[in-house]
């Protein structure tokens, strides 16, 4: 009975304080269920998905803001942000940019939530209770999903067959219904005194903080190795240094102000990161001059910048509340503006590639011409080409598509390198073709399909069962590198009773690995 009383207490607290956010979460669960069970994956529905998720977070932020101001508003107000977010996300035409923007906005709203909660905490950060609430709700989510999955497995094994999508439903329910409401119930009150639980404090200070010290010693050992060899570092240390900086930020958020000795250790411990950050920036500069900007390199620079600000505030003994607002602003900057982590590196790589092509007179009116590039210029040209060939900017940037589809650059990339005898071969190819109108006259069933291709065989699932088709020989005619868009649907007839229209086919290492389209069956 105590378990049910506990559930009832948590549910009552959630609905009385964050009822709108709870409803947003349930609506998100329903939409995810629709996308899962009916196999929908349209960009308009993804816009609704991210609008619901960010609408849920924004309603929590609005509620916290109103509690600080000691005001109340009509419940309808909590619906407005979600509508606005849908209008914003519906403007996106590319899936990758929509996902990036949706996740970035969610991160920004989370930072704003912690910023507002920290307003009345007398210099302490509200990050620990929010972080621990996220951990606790994640644990409950996994337990709930596991329990439901066990029931689904029993039905599947003992009673009748169930689709694998029902296991996905268990995951969705566990996280977006049970877990989300648990998280809402654990968010502290605005004027509530907060303190890190003793067990959490001991784990952090007696386990993770010493391990962090060992990690820093390893990085200092690497610095010593550089000094001994008198060799400039390359990109090896970049992310290790970024993790060290973010680790410092994490301990600052969790422990600063909890204990005088620990606070002093964190405050002056930032000084030990200065040599690590200096060598990291040095190494990034070397890699940048040689190979240009990449998404991860660009992101690591902002992580380091954020860590430096945290170090400065810590050393000066200033309140850290402003860091949460800064994190929100950086999240928006890197995901929802022209400064995002896709476009800026792509522009840099395009500029590098264009400069080399113009130097060798291989670019005329936007068309890439044949030519010969040798030495370091060749290495840099192919580095930029390989990056842009796989980059998400090709979803919106015509010039990136031109570069990716260039036969001149593809052949150059696949040439045998005389100095090593190595064959550089692009392993990725994507075929896309629109399916606007198809005739279904004479056919009984139309079955959308999307699945893996294994050893040239594609399995299509329908209400009547599964059927496997041999598509390997048909797909041998397609190129094995680049990205091609066909004006008409790609048609394949495995036999007289079936016709397949492919919307997309993905190749890796010269072999088809995934196909999506429509199957007609007599």
């Amino acid at each position: 009975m105590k378990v049910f009383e506990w559930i009832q207490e948590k549910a009552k607290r959630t609905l009385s304080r964050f009822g709108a956010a709870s409803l947003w979460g349930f609506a998100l669960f329903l939409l995810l269920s629709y996308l899962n069970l009916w196999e929908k994956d349209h960009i308009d529905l993804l816009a609704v998905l991210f609008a619901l998720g960010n609408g849920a977070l924004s309603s929590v932020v609005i509620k916290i803001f109103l509690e600080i101001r000691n005001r109340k508003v009509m419940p309808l107000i909590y619906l407005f942000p979600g509508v606005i977010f849908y209008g914003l996300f519906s403007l996106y035409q590319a899936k990758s940019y929509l996902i990036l923007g949706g996740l970035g906005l969610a991160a920004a709203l989370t930072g704003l939530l912690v910023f507002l909660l920290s307003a009345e905490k007398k210099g302490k950060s509200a990050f620990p209770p929010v972080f621990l609430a996220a951990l606790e709700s994640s644990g409950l989510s996994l337990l709930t999903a596991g329990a439901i999955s066990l029931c689904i497995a029993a039905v599947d094994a003992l009673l009748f067959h169930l689709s694998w999508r029902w296991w996905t439903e268990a995951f969705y329910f566990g996280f977006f219904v049970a877990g989300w409401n648990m998280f809402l119930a654990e968010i502290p009150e605005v004027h509530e005194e907060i303190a890190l639980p003793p067990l959490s404090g001991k784990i952090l200070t007696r386990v993770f903080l010493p391990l962090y010290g060992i990690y820093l010693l390893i990085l200092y050992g690497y610095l010593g190795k550089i000094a001994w060899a008198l060799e400039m570092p390359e990109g090896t240390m970049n992310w290790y240094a970024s993790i060290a900086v973010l680790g410092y930020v994490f301990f600052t958020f969790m422990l600063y102000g909890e204990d005088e000795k620990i606070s002093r250790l964190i405050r002056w411990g930032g000084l030990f990161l200065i040599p690590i950050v200096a060598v990291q920036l040095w190494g990034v500069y070397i890699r940048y001059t040689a190979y240009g900007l990449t998404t991860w390199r660009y992101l690591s620079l902002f992580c380091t910048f954020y860590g430096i600000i945290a170090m400065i505030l810590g050393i000066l003994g200033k309140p850290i509340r402003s860091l949460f607002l800064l994190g929100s602003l950086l999240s928006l900057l890197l995901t929802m503006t022209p400064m995002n982590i896709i476009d800026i590196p792509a522009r840099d790589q395009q500029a590098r590639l264009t400069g080399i092509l113009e130097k060798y007179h291989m670019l005329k009116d936007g068309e890439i011409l044949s030519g010969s590039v040798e030495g370091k210029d060749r290495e840099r040209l192919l580095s930029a080409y390989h990056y842009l060939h796989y980059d998400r900017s090709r979803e919106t940037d015509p010039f990136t598509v031109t570069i990716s589809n260039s036969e001149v650059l593809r052949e150059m990339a696949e040439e045998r390198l005389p100095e090593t005898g190595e064959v550089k071969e692009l392993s990725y190819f994507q075929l896309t073709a629109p399916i606007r109108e198809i005739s279904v006259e004479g056919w009984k069933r139309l079955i959308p399909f999307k699945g893996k291709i294994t050893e040239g065989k594609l399995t299509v699932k329908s209400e009547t069962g599964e059927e496997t088709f041999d598509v390997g020989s048909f797909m041998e005619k397609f190129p094995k590198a680049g990205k091609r868009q066909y004006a008409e649907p790609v048609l394949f007839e495995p036999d007289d009773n079936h016709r397949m229209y492919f919307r997309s086919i993905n190749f890796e290492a010269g072999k088809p690995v995934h196909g999506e389209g429509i199957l007609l069956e007599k």
Side-chain angles (χ1 to χ4, degrees):
M1 288 297 293
K2 290 185 178 180
V3 174
F4 291 105
E5 291 176 0
W6 178 80
I7 294 175
Q8 185 179 10
E9 179 188 348
K10 296 294 182 183
K12 184 178 180 181
R13 180 175 179 179
T14 297
L15 293 176
S16 62
R17 191 180 179 202
F18 298 112
S22 179
L23 291 176
W24 276 115
F26 188 71
L28 179 61
F29 164 70
L30 293 178
L31 178 60
L32 285 169
S33 299
Y34 173 71
L35 295 174
N36 175 47
L37 297 176
W38 279 269
E39 303 183 36
K40 303 293 183 180
D41 188 20
H42 195 277
I43 193 168
D44 288 339
L45 293 175
L46 287 177
V48 178
L49 180 74
F50 281 107
L52 289 173
N54 285 287
L57 279 170
S58 65
S59 65
V60 177
V61 172
I62 292 172
K63 179 63 176 178
I64 296 298
F65 178 77
L66 293 174
E67 287 181 352
I68 294 173
R69 296 283 181 171
N70 197 24
R71 294 182 180 178
K72 294 183 178 181
V73 295
M74 295 176 58
L76 196 62
I77 297 296
Y78 295 103
L79 299 178
F80 287 159
V83 176
I84 294 172
F85 293 152
Y86 173 70
L88 175 65
F89 291 134
S90 63
L91 298 176
Y92 285 81
Q93 299 299 317
K95 183 177 178 180
S96 296
Y97 287 82
L98 172 58
I99 293 173
L100 179 66
L103 295 177
L105 181 58
L109 288 170
T110 303
L112 185 58
L113 167 65
V114 181
F115 173 78
L116 291 174
L117 278 173
S118 303
E120 304 293 331
K121 297 298 183 287
K122 298 179 181 179
K124 285 190 175 183
S125 164
F127 181 82
V130 174
F131 177 76
L132 294 176
L135 284 183
E136 188 175 345
S137 61
S138 297
L140 178 67
S141 300
L142 291 173
L143 287 174
T144 304
I148 297 175
S149 296
L150 180 62
C151 296
I152 294 173
V155 172
D156 182 64
L158 304 176
L159 299 179
F160 50 83
H161 174 69
L162 289 174
S163 168
W164 61 269
R165 295 181 181 278
W166 286 102
W167 275 268
T168 307
E169 283 299 298
F171 173 84
Y172 288 158
F173 183 87
F175 276 84
F176 297 102
V177 178
W180 172 242
N181 283 280
M182 180 66 182
F183 174 74
L184 295 176
E186 293 300 314
I187 294 177
E189 299 285 345
V190 170
H191 302 288
E192 179 182 339
E193 289 288 334
I194 60 172
L196 190 66
L199 179 60
S200 300
K202 289 180 180 179
I203 292 175
L204 284 172
T205 56
R206 299 181 184 182
V207 179
F208 289 107
L209 198 57
L211 287 175
Y212 179 71
I214 294 172
Y215 183 75
L216 292 183
L217 287 177
I218 294 171
L219 294 185
Y220 266 91
Y222 182 71
L223 299 186
K225 183 180 176 182
I226 293 171
W228 178 264
L230 296 178
E231 290 183 358
M232 299 174 72
E234 293 190 358
T236 307
M237 188 181 177
N238 185 21
W239 274 106
Y240 289 104
S242 294
I243 291 171
V245 172
L246 292 178
Y248 174 81
V249 173
F250 174 76
F251 285 115
T252 300
F253 286 169
M254 292 294 293
L255 298 173
Y256 194 79
E258 290 293 330
D259 179 86
E260 185 177 348
K261 292 182 180 179
I262 294 296
S263 296
R264 191 181 300 117
L265 176 64
I266 292 174
R267 179 178 177 180
W268 296 110
L271 295 174
F272 291 96
L273 290 174
I274 293 176
I276 295 173
V277 170
V279 174
Q280 179 199 18
L281 295 176
W282 184 19
V284 169
Y285 173 75
I286 294 172
R287 298 291 289 181
Y288 170 72
T289 55
Y291 302 109
L293 203 59
T294 65
T295 290
W296 291 111
R297 205 165 289 149
Y298 183 56
L299 187 59
S300 72
L301 288 175
F302 276 92
C303 289
T304 302
F305 166 75
Y306 188 75
I308 291 173
I309 300 298
M311 289 161 51
I312 293 173
L313 292 179
I315 292 170
L316 296 177
K318 299 294 183 181
I320 62 172
R321 178 174 174 244
S322 57
L323 286 173
F324 302 114
L325 185 59
L326 176 62
S328 295
L329 294 176
L330 289 178
S331 296
L332 295 176
L333 177 71
L334 296 175
T335 59
M336 301 188 72
T337 74
M339 295 282 289
N340 68 73
I341 60 175
I342 296 177
D343 286 342
I344 292 296
R347 299 293 178 271
D348 179 75
Q349 295 288 347
Q350 286 178 5
R352 295 170 64 85
L353 185 142
T354 302
I356 296 173
L357 292 178
E358 289 176 345
K359 177 180 177 181
Y360 289 88
H361 309 289
M362 295 174 60
L363 187 64
K364 183 178 180 181
D365 299 329
E367 183 180 355
I368 299 174
L369 309 177
S370 298
S372 178
V373 182
E374 302 298 335
K376 288 289 185 181
D377 284 342
R378 177 189 176 91
E379 182 181 342
R380 290 169 179 169
L381 175 71
L382 293 182
S383 172
Y385 170 59
H386 276 277
Y387 180 84
L388 293 171
H389 183 71
Y390 297 101
D391 190 56
R392 294 294 182 182
S393 63
R394 64 176 183 255
E395 295 181 12
T396 59
D397 191 337
F399 188 53
T400 302
V401 175
T402 299
I403 293 170
S404 182
N405 290 345
S406 171
E407 291 292 337
V408 173
L409 295 177
R410 183 179 67 83
E411 290 173 3
M412 188 181 295
E414 293 179 348
E415 286 178 3
R416 184 179 297 273
L417 301 181
E419 62 273 16
T420 63
E422 178 188 1
V423 177
K424 296 290 289 183
E425 182 175 338
L426 295 175
S427 62
Y428 174 81
F429 167 64
Q430 183 183 41
L431 173 156
T432 57
I435 301 179
R436 296 185 179 92
E437 292 185 8
I438 57 175
S439 174
V440 294
E441 185 177 354
W443 301 93
K444 287 186 178 180
R445 280 184 291 274
L446 184 151
I447 306 168
F449 67 85
K450 177 169 61 174
K452 294 181 180 180
I453 301 174
T454 306
E455 297 182 353
K457 293 181 170 54
L458 172 65
T459 299
V460 177
K461 300 177 181 179
S462 67
E463 296 178 355
T464 58
E466 299 181 354
E467 191 154 4
T468 301
F469 300 94
D470 189 344
V471 298
S473 57
F474 165 71
M475 294 186 178
E476 288 180 357
K477 66 179 183 179
F478 297 110
K480 302 301 183 291
K483 179 177 179 180
R484 307 288 173 83
Q485 183 165 355
Y486 290 73
E488 300 295 332
V490 175
L491 174 63
F492 173 54
E493 294 185 341
D495 52 54
D496 294 337
N497 296 320
H498 297 90
R499 176 180 293 175
M500 306 181 81
Y501 290 91
F502 282 93
R503 178 181 291 112
S504 69
I505 307 171
N506 292 344
F507 292 78
E508 288 183 6
K511 297 180 179 179
V513 295
H514 188 274
E516 178 180 356
I518 291 174
L519 171 68
L520 298 181
E521 189 176 58
K522 288 185 177 179

